[in-house]
Amino acid sequence: MRISSKLLGLTLLLVGSVQPVFAQLNVFACEPEYQSLINELAPEAKVYSATTALQDPHMIQARPSLIAKLRRADLLVCAGAELEVGWLPMLQMKAANSAVRNANTGLFFAADHIETLDKLERVDRSMGDVHAQGNPHIQFDPYRLLKVADALHQRLIKLDPEQKAEYQRNFEAFKQRWTQAIKSWEQKAVSLKGKQVIAYHTSFRYLFNWLGIKQVGDLEPKPGLPPSSSHLAGLLALAKQQPIDLIVQASYQDTKGSKWLASHTKLPMVVLPATVTREADSDSLFKLYDDVITKLLKAMN
C-alpha cells in the first residue's frame, strides 16, 4: 500500500503532537533520597527506588522485580562509594541493560561528585563493613547534596538535551529553595552543636559533621556487626566516664542494643529516618531534614 507524502506528514504531525512536553526518562534510584532528588530536578520522569527507609541499603536481594525495573531504565542513580557493592553488580549483570553501565552517561554515583568523609587507604575484612572510598551516607550534608544535584541535572541534560532549559530551571529553583532551607535548618539546630551521642552506625556521619555533633561511640563493635554483650558493657562504662546526650539509630536498624543501653544509662534514645520515607513528615528531602532536626531537638530536651 502506498502512502502519500501529505498523509505521512499529517501522521507524523499528529504523533508529534501527543508527545509529552517533558521527556519522560525512566530512572532507577538505589535509595529514596535520590528518587526524591530526581523528583525535584525532573518531575516528569518515571522514578523507582530499589530500597525504602526500612531497608539497609548495604544489603538487599537482586529480586526479579528489580531486574525488570533496571532493564527498562535510562538512568541509574545510586549513592556509590561501594554502598551498593553487595547487590548492584549482580542486578546490573542480570538486567543486561548497557545504558546503565557507563558512568559517563546512564550510570550516576553521587559520591563521585563530592569529597567523601572517612576515606581509607587500606581496607580488609577484619575491619568490618567499611568503605575505602569514604562514608557513602552523604544525604544528610546539604552542601554536598547541592553539589550532587548540580552534577545530576547536568547528567540529565546530557541524556535528554532537548529538555535542557527545563532541567536548568528545575535545578535553579531547587538550589534557591535548598539554600534558603539550609539557613533555616542551621538556625533551628544551633543548640545541637557540641552535643555528644552514641550511634548505631555511621549512617548520620554527615549530619553530625554538619551540625557539630560528636559521635563518641558506636553500638556496632565493627561496621556491619550487631552489638555484642561485651561491647554494650564497654559503652555503658563509656557513658559513666563522659557526658553523653543521646543514643541515635536509624529506623532500619535493630533497636534491641539501643534500648538496653538506654535503660541502663537512663539516656534518651531517638530513632531517625535515614532517608526519605513514605510518611507525611519526611516524604521529601526538605521534610526529611525538618523531621530529623525536630526529632533530635525533642529527644535532647
Side-chain angles (χ1 to χ4, degrees):
M1 181 176 67
R2 297 181 62 186
I3 301 175
S4 72
S5 58
K6 288 185 177 179
L7 179 58
L8 179 59
L10 179 61
T11 301
L12 292 174
L13 180 63
L14 289 173
V15 169
S17 68
V18 298
Q19 292 297 312
V21 174
F22 199 95
Q24 192 170 50
L25 284 177
N26 200 332
V27 183
F28 185 104
C30 290
E31 294 86 19
E33 60 265 30
Y34 299 109
Q35 179 184 35
S36 184
L37 188 55
I38 286 288
N39 287 338
E40 296 284 347
L41 302 175
E44 299 300 325
K46 288 176 62 178
V47 195
Y48 177 82
S49 176
T51 57
T52 74
L54 298 179
Q55 291 178 295
D56 184 347
H58 294 87
M59 53 183 86
I60 64 168
Q61 291 186 338
R63 306 187 306 273
S65 59
L66 294 181
I67 295 168
K69 293 283 187 184
L70 187 58
R71 187 170 292 149
R72 294 191 292 271
D74 303 303
L75 175 62
L76 169 60
V77 182
C78 303
E82 301 177 337
L83 176 63
E84 304 92 356
V85 71
W87 54 274
L88 186 58
M90 176 66 72
L91 203 62
Q92 287 177 298
M93 184 186 72
K94 291 192 174 182
N97 179 358
S98 59
V100 295
R101 284 179 170 273
N102 189 332
N104 292 316
T105 53
L107 173 59
F108 182 95
F109 285 128
D112 290 349
H113 302 274
I114 54 102
E115 186 68 26
T116 57
L117 297 175
D118 306 330
K119 284 185 178 178
L120 299 170
E121 294 184 359
R122 183 187 63 83
V123 170
D124 61 57
R125 294 304 300 167
S126 69
M127 301 165 71
D129 187 12
V130 295
H131 307 277
Q133 296 175 26
N135 188 310
H137 306 290
I138 62 177
Q139 67 270 27
F140 280 118
D141 184 318
Y143 298 100
R144 284 178 168 85
L145 200 62
L146 187 56
K147 290 182 179 179
V148 171
D150 190 354
L152 186 52
H153 103 276
Q154 292 176 33
R155 182 63 60 87
L156 289 166
I157 291 171
K158 189 173 185 177
L159 288 174
D160 187 18
E162 291 185 0
Q163 306 302 329
K164 178 179 179 180
E166 292 287 343
Y167 295 128
Q168 286 179 328
R169 273 195 293 271
N170 293 336
F171 171 67
E172 291 301 327
F174 172 77
K175 181 180 178 181
Q176 183 176 8
R177 291 176 57 218
W178 193 250
T179 303
Q180 291 174 348
I182 290 174
K183 295 178 182 176
S184 174
W185 292 325
E186 290 178 343
Q187 289 175 357
K188 182 177 178 180
V190 68
S191 65
L192 297 175
K193 187 174 183 179
K195 299 294 186 183
Q196 298 198 130
V197 302
I198 293 174
Y200 193 100
H201 182 68
T202 55
S203 308
F204 301 104
R205 172 75 170 92
Y206 290 88
L207 177 73
F208 298 157
N209 181 67
W210 170 45
L211 297 179
I213 298 171
K214 188 175 181 182
Q215 183 170 336
V216 297
D218 298 353
L219 278 155
E220 294 176 321
K222 290 182 181 179
L225 296 180
S228 62
S229 299
S230 60
H231 185 68
L232 287 171
L235 292 175
L236 181 59
L238 176 69
K240 293 177 179 176
Q241 295 167 2
Q242 61 177 292
I244 309 290
D245 298 289
L246 188 64
I247 300 169
V248 182
Q249 72 165 82
S251 52
Y252 67 82
Q253 293 159 342
D254 191 338
T255 59
K256 187 177 178 181
S258 297
K259 288 181 175 176
W260 182 92
L261 188 62
S263 67
H264 285 73
T265 58
K266 308 303 180 188
L267 287 171
M269 168 189 161
V270 66
V271 178
L272 301 177
T275 182
V276 173
T277 75
R278 295 171 182 169
E279 305 298 322
D281 289 344
S282 52
D283 63 0
S284 71
L285 283 168
F286 288 90
K287 289 185 178 179
L288 174 67
Y289 273 63
D290 280 330
D291 187 40
V292 165
I293 292 173
T294 298
K295 283 186 166 68
L296 283 171
L297 289 169
K298 185 177 180 180
M300 291 199 190
N301 290 328

